[in-house]
Amino acid sequence: MTVSTGVTILGSTGSVGRATLDVIGQHPDRFHVVGLTAHSNAALLAEQCHSFNASHAAISDPAKAGELESALRKLGCASRAMAGPDALLEVAALGEADAVMAAIVGAAGLAPSLHAAHHGKRLMLANKESMVIAGALFAAAVREKGAVVIPVDSEHNALFQALPDQFGGDLDAAGVEQLILTASGGPFLDTPADTLQGVTPEQACNHPNWDMGRKISVDSATLMNKGLEVIEARWLFHARPDQISVLIHPQSIVHSMVAYRDGSVIAQLGMPDMRTPIAYALAWPDRIDAGVQRLHLHQLDKLEFRQPDTQRFPSLRLAFEALEAGGNSAVILNAANECAVEAFLDHRLAFMDIPALVEKTLETAAWAEVSSLDDVLEFDRMARAIAAREIKTMGISDV
Ligand code: NAD
Ligand code: MG
């Protein structure tokens, strides 16, 4: 008989959080929910806690504490209501949870995700931004605290599956030449350069294959999502920049590939549904039903592959440059991008201003080494201040 695994979900009300609860709900004998967290949607958080019998509910916005408390009571739910950033840390470390799904969006997920790793949890990592800005700190937590990180991002989950079971962190020793990250290319794959400046947030969030939160949808449209994933791969698999490449694959069926020295290329394929990598991360090393549609290759028209266009999508180039530059560059890249995406979604910046703002912020901010969580948070704050000033000068009125 399998022992039930206690699972905490950081960011349970989001796209990945809800998909995780969907998979858990299909296997009530195998998993039980310990803690759930959200930023502001108290009503949905309370409903989820009620449905999954969670012992702890944490809302990061302290102003929502009362709302959460009353929503839980109204449902007759006994979950302990908690609020504020420290509550997220407490929930991330609860002893009853063996595994923690990191599904908060953006740098806001860093502190609780890292806290879970420091408590030796099995960290199922969707929150790529935290790995991008603090990869070395996660690596230290894995080394020193016995934490295990299972990537949930579909590409990295694919790479994890395509690497040898006994992969010990040395790609050369494993005979690996290249980690090939596939990218759908997003909704503007074939949009001419002169049209890109005028695209709207609604168009940008209308992803052809994946149904995701708004921030990652915009990142997919600029290709910054792939840029962040390149940096994420560097830390997850101890890769040098020259060992990582990106291939546009509009159908999102091949989720990534590992090219080996002997000429073999091992790929992971499946329908574009996050429940597959989530189920893999939850049950690893076992395989469980994820409730996804099966892949029938003969029903597909074609599988295409092409090189990315970094002229129209400069974000990918910026991410590779930040990776090469090291130090605090990835922190600055990520913070400026988060500010730019938020401003774009608020109609304060045009689409092509997103990479322009990131580039400007990288040029303005001073390069420095990063050696602690405080450093990361400080450079993140500094970059956001620079980006906010730049947005005021770049801001446009006609979108
Ligand atoms: P989302 O916007 O749908 O959900 C985000 C979650 O984070 C919500 O539960 C929200 O309450 C919480 N949150 C937001 N701001 C917060 C803050 N300041 N403090 C605490 N909690 C906060 O996002 P998503 O699409 O589910 O993506 C989550 C993460 O997973 C992102 O890092 C994204 O890049 C990554 N990811 C998502 C997908 C996908 O298919 N959606 C795929 C791969 C990776
Ligand atoms: Mg991805």
Side-chain angles (χ1 to χ4, degrees):
M1 208 193 88
T2 324
V3 182
S4 175
T5 303
V7 182
T8 283
I9 306 176
L10 307 171
S12 62
T13 54
S15 166
V16 171
R18 282 178 279 123
T20 306
L21 284 173
D22 181 292
V23 177
I24 288 176
Q26 296 174 51
H27 301 277
D29 50 333
R30 207 171 166 126
F31 306 106
H32 62 277
V33 172
V34 177
L36 297 178
T37 86
H39 187 49
S40 58
N41 192 344
L44 178 57
L45 178 61
E47 264 173 51
Q48 292 177 332
C49 286
H50 182 54
S51 306
F52 286 87
N53 217 0
S55 56
H56 291 71
I59 193 128
S60 48
D61 181 354
K64 298 275 179 169
E67 207 183 306
L68 175 61
E69 184 78 49
S70 61
L72 287 168
R73 296 310 145 243
K74 214 186 271 170
L75 291 165
C77 176
S79 308
R80 184 176 152 212
M82 304 155 80
D86 287 347
L88 259 59
L89 296 183
E90 196 178 331
V91 169
L94 288 171
E96 308 89 87
D98 316 285
V100 173
M101 169 62 77
I104 291 174
V105 59
L110 173 58
S113 306
L114 194 58
H115 199 63
H118 280 150
H119 281 77
K121 303 294 183 192
R122 176 132 76 89
L123 189 66
M124 302 177 279
L125 188 85
N127 176 216
K128 67 190 80 186
E129 296 90 347
S130 62
M131 185 58 78
V132 166
I133 65 179
L137 303 182
F138 280 99
V142 166
R143 234 179 12 250
E144 292 155 22
K145 311 285 179 181
V148 175
V149 178
I150 315 266
V152 170
D153 211 350
S154 57
E155 297 76 3
H156 306 74
N157 190 271
L159 294 173
F160 188 84
Q161 295 194 42
L163 282 165
D165 285 347
Q166 67 281 14
F167 175 62
D170 185 337
L171 290 173
D172 289 323
V176 173
E177 277 185 350
Q178 280 285 303
L179 302 177
I180 306 169
L181 293 167
T182 52
S184 69
F188 308 131
L189 177 60
D190 295 313
T191 305
D194 54 359
T195 314
L196 279 179
Q197 181 70 351
V199 299
T200 64
E202 289 62 40
Q203 290 171 309
C205 289
N206 189 17
H207 196 281
N209 308 334
W210 298 94
D211 180 12
M212 310 180 285
R214 282 167 74 77
K215 193 267 176 180
I216 183 176
S217 297
V218 176
D219 285 346
S220 299
T222 60
L223 286 201
M224 180 57 93
N225 182 51
K226 211 49 53 182
L228 296 175
E229 290 183 359
V230 166
I231 304 174
E232 183 186 9
R234 178 260 174 274
W235 291 109
L236 283 170
F237 305 112
H238 311 276
R240 296 186 308 269
D242 65 286
Q243 290 175 310
I244 310 169
S245 58
V246 171
L247 196 58
I248 300 291
H249 167 47
Q251 291 78 20
S252 299
I253 295 294
V254 177
H255 297 305
S256 278
M257 308 175 231
V258 177
Y260 288 90
R261 187 178 291 145
D262 61 2
S264 299
V265 177
I266 311 260
Q268 186 257 352
L269 283 71
M271 296 300 284
D273 187 324
M274 284 303 291
R275 290 176 300 171
T276 294
I278 289 168
Y280 185 82
L282 277 167
W284 175 83
D286 293 348
R287 300 271 182 178
I288 56 171
D289 195 342
V292 308
Q293 208 188 320
R294 301 300 190 260
L295 174 62
H296 298 294
L297 282 170
H298 66 278
Q299 291 174 356
L300 300 177
D301 277 349
K302 55 189 171 185
L303 295 180
E304 296 166 289
F305 301 92
R306 44 176 135 145
Q307 295 286 8
D309 175 354
T310 51
Q311 293 292 320
R312 279 185 308 135
F313 301 102
S315 295
L316 189 56
R317 168 181 60 81
L318 293 170
F320 267 107
E321 286 171 5
L323 177 57
E324 290 281 1
N328 60 357
S329 305
V331 181
I332 294 160
L333 173 99
N334 178 69
N337 181 60
E338 286 192 31
C339 294
V341 171
E342 195 186 324
F344 170 68
L345 288 170
D346 282 355
H347 300 266
R348 287 182 285 121
L349 276 189
F351 185 73
M352 291 307 288
D353 292 342
I354 299 173
L357 178 73
V358 173
E359 186 150 32
K360 184 79 192 161
T361 309
L362 279 162
E363 280 164 14
T364 310
W367 188 95
E369 291 287 358
V370 176
S371 48
S372 66
L373 177 59
D374 284 346
D375 286 352
V376 173
L377 298 177
E378 179 53 31
F379 293 127
D380 178 80
R381 263 193 299 275
M382 177 194 74
R384 283 169 201 269
I386 296 171
R389 274 201 305 276
E390 290 297 333
I391 289 172
K392 286 207 181 103
T393 61
M394 293 167 70
I396 34 105
S397 52
D398 61 341
V399 287

